[in-house]
Amino acid sequence: MSKILFVMTGADHWTLADGTQHPTGFWAEEAVAPYEAFKAAGHEIVVATPGGVVPTVDKGSLAAEVNGGQENADRIAGVLASAAELRQPVRLEDVNLDDYAAVFYPGGHGPMEDLAVDADSGRLLTLALESGKPLGVVCHAPAALLAATKADGSNAFAGRRVAAFTNAEETQAGLADKAKWLLQDRLTEAGVQVDVAEPWAPHVIVDGNLVTGQNPASSAPLAVELLKKLG
């Protein structure tokens, strides 16, 4: 059994360009699918958030229409309710990477608010990338890569191939024209190579120890790839 660190947003809103707060948090499927896969494989999960706050689920991610029907939506809500790890997060600031075999970042719009500018998360991501340990990041969570800057100001992930929530998907979700910035654009500006696939289709990129997924549908296949790396 290995310990896997889930780094999750502590934000319950995303500040839009006009200053309004869009209610959000983490996206349920992106936490639940990997959680179930890692637990089924016998691994222990520890959740870390900025300040150790209990993470907020995006209520929209519990809706029947984004979970293939009410039955699966209820099942996912049930997993979240029974996952004790989510209610007992450690402080991200106190995390020692040496204690973990792998690191995983689920998305939702929350990371756009806090992890995108969180220096502790940025340092952890840089260390994880350099360590060779499996590092998984899905959907909007690649926003956290923006905080992974080196001493010279360059991004630690520059030159890496990643999948992340795309401009097309943000547009179709109805929030692109309200956002302060778009994830695909900011990653590209930082020198990260964003590999874009069809909107909403599963899309996972493996670049060395870095495994990234484009959207919620990519979270389960991403977990499979991370587990392969854990051996």
Side-chain angles (χ1 to χ4, degrees), residues 86-123:
L86 287 169
R87 294 186 295 279
Q88 300 164 342
V90 301
R91 284 162 37 94
L92 178 57
E93 305 90 298
D94 300 336
V95 164
N96 182 346
L97 181 63
D98 294 342
D99 296 337
Y100 302 95
V103 179
F104 172 67
Y105 278 65
H109 280 108
M112 301 277 281
E113 183 74 20
D114 61 353
L115 298 181
V117 292
D118 190 294
D120 294 301
S121 172
R123 281 191 290 272

Side-chain angles (χ1 to χ4, degrees), residues 167-204:
N167 291 356
E169 285 166 324
E170 202 71 85
T171 299
Q172 290 178 24
L175 287 165
D177 60 346
K178 300 174 185 172
K180 287 182 181 177
W181 49 272
L182 297 177
L183 180 56
Q184 181 184 332
D185 291 346
R186 285 286 297 274
L187 288 170
T188 302
E189 289 164 10
V192 181
Q193 298 178 30
V194 182
D195 193 288
V196 176
E198 285 298 308
W200 314 111
H203 181 52
V204 174

Side-chain angles (χ1 to χ4, degrees), residues 26-119:
F26 69 89
W27 197 260
E29 180 182 1
E30 295 167 27
V32 168
Y35 177 90
E36 290 187 305
F38 299 153
K39 295 282 273 197
H43 299 296
E44 180 184 345
I45 290 169
V46 175
V47 172
T49 62
V53 302
V54 174
T56 298
V57 64
D58 187 317
K59 300 293 189 294
S61 69
L62 297 174
E65 56 266 28
V66 296
N67 288 295
Q70 192 60 50
E71 184 177 348
N72 193 48
D74 291 343
R75 187 190 70 78
I76 285 178
V79 174
L80 291 177
S82 65
E85 298 92 339
L86 287 169
R87 294 186 295 279
Q88 300 164 342
V90 301
R91 284 162 37 94
L92 178 57
E93 305 90 298
D94 300 336
V95 164
N96 182 346
L97 181 63
D98 294 342
D99 296 337
Y100 302 95
V103 179
F104 172 67
Y105 278 65
H109 280 108
M112 301 277 281
E113 183 74 20
D114 61 353
L115 298 181
V117 292
D118 190 294

